[in-house]
């Protein structure tokens, strides 16, 4: 559900720029991974509209209902012996694969909400220069970028053996594979190969956008960037008091943050350092020496360095705390199935304070989505001057 923040940022930018559906669209290169892959694909499919269909996407997020869109599979992680599979048959839902969540309703929303024919038309006629979706190839552990490119567009592939490039018409399976958190959601087959959440290795797909030719980037991170004081660090490192251990829900949330979100802030820091480095090189080296440096970089990386204008958004509030407050105070569990209701009620009792990082990933509920979207919208409005300057030319 953290992806709702991206929708809010887009809403806020459209409001600041007074952008309507009749205006020229703002973006031509779209890159996303995990839930960002869903939003990026939707926006690319609406690249013929000046607002990229963001108001419709907000309505889709707001229409989610936990009881309808996420079902806990009580035995979803069980590897059934052959004799049990024959005996139980469709009751164990073997075709869904190993996963805790039955997300068929969510998958149907992705399949139906994106106009796939219009998406491919937008790419074919050049309204979209590139749509880039990252997913993790399960067997090899390589991050794979699926790329659908417009006329004349080029992508500079990385020589890094941990990265792979696949040209393809992006379809629902590519997007759902990128958003499939292992064990929680089923892995997806794409061209006969299993893929899962691209955020495990490549959460903010900055590099693919650059390799597709983008020279200005709007980057939305869903992890709040915080600088702890010495007192806060000391408090966090203090010995734990007596009482029960940390709840498994709390630990799962922190693990998801570490796997899916922590690399984001590092990527943004690297981007800033590269911009500073390129500026120094341009100011101090003669053109022929600079050309030689870029040639060496291109030989090693497949592409040289260049300065990039960036507009970066991070949440002003912790989404885990926002989710914790919603679960404890606003979420109605009476209409959920018994397994889901028990898990949520137990998690609400056990999580320390108001923090529930796990819920910020799994709480597919329209009420919570609206809170996250509104937070993104407010954060964008707070950067109105930066937005206007960024899009001035």
């Amino acid at each position: 559900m953290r992806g709702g923040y991206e929708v809010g940022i887009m809403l806020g930018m459209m409001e600041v720029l007074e952008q309507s559906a009749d205006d020229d669209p703002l973006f031509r290169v779209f890159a996303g991974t995990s839930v960002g892959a869903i939003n990026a694909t939707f926006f690319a499919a609406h690249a013929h509209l000046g607002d990229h269909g963001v108001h419709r996407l907000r309505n889709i997020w707001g229409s989610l209902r936990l009881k309808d869109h996420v079902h806990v599979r009580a035995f979803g992680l069980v590897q059934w012996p052959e004799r049990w599979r024959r005996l139980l048959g469709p009751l164990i839902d073997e075709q869904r694969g190993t996963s805790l969540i039955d997300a068929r309703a969510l998958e149907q929303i992705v399949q139906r909400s994106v106009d796939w024919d219009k998406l491919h038309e937008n790419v074919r006629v050049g309204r979209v220069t590139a749509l880039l979706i990252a997913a993790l190839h399960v067997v090899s552990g390589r991050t794979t970028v699926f790329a659908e490119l417009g006329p004349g567009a080029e992508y500079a592939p990385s020589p890094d053996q941990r990265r792979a490039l696949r040209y393809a018409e992006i379809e629902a399976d590519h997007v759902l594979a990128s958003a499939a958190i292992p064990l929680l959601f089923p892995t997806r087959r794409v061209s006969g190969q299993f893929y899962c959440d691209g955020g495990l290795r490549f959460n903010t797909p900055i590099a693919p956008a650059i390799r597709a030719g983008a020279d200005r980037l709007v980057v939305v991170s869903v992890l709040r960037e915080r600088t702890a004081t010495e007192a806060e660090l000391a408090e966090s490192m203090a010995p734990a008091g007596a009482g029960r251990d940390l709840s498994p829900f709390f630990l799962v949330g922190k693990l998801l943050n570490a796997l899916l979100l922590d690399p984001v802030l590092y990527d943004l820091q690297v981007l800033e350092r590269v911009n500073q480095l390129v500026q120094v090189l341009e100011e101090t080296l003669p053109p022929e020496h600079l050309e030689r440096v870029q040639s060496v970089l291109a030989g090693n990386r497949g592409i040289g360095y260049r300065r990039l204008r960036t507009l970066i958004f991070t949440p002003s509030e912790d989404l885990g705390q926002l989710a914790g407050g919603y679960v404890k105070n606003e979420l109605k569990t009476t209409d959920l199935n018994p397994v889901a209701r028990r898990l949520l009620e137990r998690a609400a009792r056990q999580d320390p304070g108001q923090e529930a990082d796990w819920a910020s990933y799994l709480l597919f509920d329209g009420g919570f989505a609206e809170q996250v979207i509104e937070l993104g919208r407010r954060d964008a409005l707070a950067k109105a001057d930066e937005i206007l300057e960024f899009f001035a030319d």
Side-chain angles (χ1 to χ4, degrees), residues 6 24 29 32 39 47-48 64 67 97 115 142-143 170-171 178 223 241 248 252-253 276 304 317 338 342 367:
E6 300 167 348
D24 292 332
V29 175
N39 290 333
H48 55 290
L64 296 176
K67 69 181 183 67
D115 187 336
R142 300 175 75 193
T143 296
I170 302 299
E171 300 291 351
S178 182
L223 180 63
V252 166
Q276 293 175 357
E317 298 179 26
R342 180 172 175 78

Side-chain angles (χ1 to χ4, degrees), residues 350-371:
Q350 291 187 348
D351 272 343
Q354 291 291 311
E355 195 169 7
D357 291 298
W358 62 269
S360 67
Y361 294 94
L362 299 176
L363 199 58
F364 289 90
D365 182 85
F368 179 59
E370 284 295 339
Q371 291 188 7

Side-chain angles (χ1 to χ4, degrees), residues 51-269:
D51 62 359
H52 292 279
V54 67
H55 299 284
R56 177 172 173 244
L57 185 56
R58 178 182 192 165
N59 291 336
I60 292 172
W61 278 87
S63 70
L64 296 176
R65 295 294 176 266
L66 195 61
K67 69 181 183 67
D68 298 326
H69 295 108
V70 175
H71 297 138
V72 177
R73 302 171 64 202
F75 302 102
L77 300 181
V78 176
Q79 290 285 345
W80 296 94
E82 180 63 30
R83 60 180 180 175
W84 283 102
R85 289 202 298 269
R86 290 197 301 266
L87 178 64
L88 297 178
L91 295 178
I92 62 175
D93 198 17
E94 187 76 7
Q95 73 273 17
R96 302 308 301 166
T98 302
S99 66
L100 184 62
I101 305 297
D102 179 355
R104 279 177 288 188
L106 289 172
E107 293 170 357
Q108 290 174 2
I109 286 180
V110 173
Q111 292 165 345
R112 295 171 181 173
S113 63
V114 175
D115 187 336
W116 301 98
D117 291 336
K118 193 66 177 180
L119 166 66
H120 303 317
E121 177 189 330
N122 285 342
V123 176
R124 187 171 59 252
V125 302
R127 297 190 191 103
V128 172
T129 301
L131 173 60
L132 310 159
I133 302 299
L136 182 69
H137 184 247
V138 175
V139 176
S140 69
R142 300 175 75 193
T143 296
T144 300
V145 176
F146 295 101
E148 183 171 356
L149 304 182
E154 296 182 357
Y155 186 96
S158 170
D160 190 338
Q161 292 301 307
R162 296 169 298 175
R163 305 281 186 261
L165 173 66
R166 300 286 183 269
Y167 294 107
E169 283 196 344
I170 302 299
E171 300 291 351
D173 281 341
H174 299 95
V175 176
L176 291 170
S178 182
I181 300 174
L183 300 184
L184 294 179
F185 297 98
T187 56
R188 306 290 302 193
R189 284 183 185 268
V190 179
S191 301
Q193 301 291 315
F194 283 106
Y195 292 87
C196 67
D197 198 313
L200 293 173
R201 289 282 185 87
F202 216 29
N203 195 273
T204 303
I206 297 173
I210 297 171
R211 291 179 179 276
D215 54 13
R216 289 194 292 171
L217 302 175
V218 175
V219 183
V220 183
S221 167
V222 292
L223 180 63
R224 183 184 182 192
E225 186 173 8
R226 292 180 291 185
T227 303
T229 65
E230 290 296 329
E232 291 170 334
L233 287 173
E235 181 180 355
S236 68
M237 297 299 291
R244 61 171 178 255
D245 198 0
L246 292 174
S247 80
F249 301 98
F250 180 82
L251 295 175
V252 166
K254 294 305 179 185
L255 178 62
L256 290 173
N257 279 355
L259 289 174
L260 300 178
L261 297 182
D262 282 357
V264 176
L265 300 182
Y266 176 77
D267 287 348
L268 296 178
Q269 292 167 0

